[in-house]
Amino acid sequence: MMTDPASAIKKEAFQLIELQIDALRREGSLTPTDLADYHTRSEKITQLYRQLDQMAMTRSRMQLRTTRAS
């Protein structure tokens, strides 16, 4: 069974978001390593959502072309 690429991206993004939330819920201060990991995850989440946006725009363009061709 093939997984929809958008679903896989969303799943990865949600997992990273959960890790972000867990990091913020920890008691005490974040260590420099924690902060670096947080920043890296934040960048990855941004990248994943950009991919989703690009996929949505591509899908919209294809639907528009199909509608115009009909």
Side-chain angles (χ1 to χ4, degrees), residues 6 9 46-62:
I9 292 170
T46 300
Q47 176 190 8
L48 291 170
Y49 276 103
R50 283 186 180 139
Q51 287 177 339
L52 287 171
D53 287 344
Q54 185 63 40
M55 292 171 77
M57 286 190 304
T58 300
R59 223 180 347 245
S60 293
R61 287 184 196 127
M62 289 174 60

Side-chain angles (χ1 to χ4, degrees), residues 3 9 19 23 33 37 40 42 63 68 70:
T3 303
I9 292 170
L19 289 172
T33 302
D37 291 345
T40 300
S42 178
Q63 288 174 347
R68 288 181 180 171
S70 297

